[in-house]
Amino acid sequence: NTQALAQFERASTLDPNLAAAEVALGDIAFDLSDWEEAREHYQAAQGRSNQKGVDAGHLRSRLQQLANQ
């Protein structure tokens, strides 16, 4: 996960409008039970203009799960 984390952070830096990178970072944080970090990445993903590759249902589901944390 460390290598994946670094790659998605780089992707997010290279294209700050890429929502898919934020979702991936949120998923990693979610899997590590870092709820606040996950929530921040998912919320950032919602605000990005490039939604290509983002499963909106997955994003909504994760945010709903975090609302219960």
Side-chain angles (χ1 to χ4, degrees):
N1 269 353
T2 304
Q3 188 176 21
L5 181 63
Q7 289 175 348
F8 286 118
E9 286 175 341
R10 180 163 164 68
S12 182
T13 300
L14 292 174
D15 184 353
N17 292 314
L18 185 61
E22 287 294 340
V23 172
L25 289 167
D27 287 343
I28 292 169
F30 190 93
D31 290 345
L32 295 172
S33 301
D34 188 345
W35 312 128
E36 188 58 36
E37 184 79 12
R39 183 178 293 108
E40 288 175 16
H41 286 295
Y42 292 139
Q43 289 173 339
Q46 288 182 313
R48 300 291 170 99
S49 61
N50 182 351
Q51 295 289 319
K52 184 177 180 179
V54 173
D55 178 347
H58 170 74
L59 183 56
R60 275 193 308 276
S61 174
R62 285 294 173 102
L63 283 168
Q64 287 175 336
Q65 291 172 328
L66 289 169
N68 297 323
Q69 292 297 328

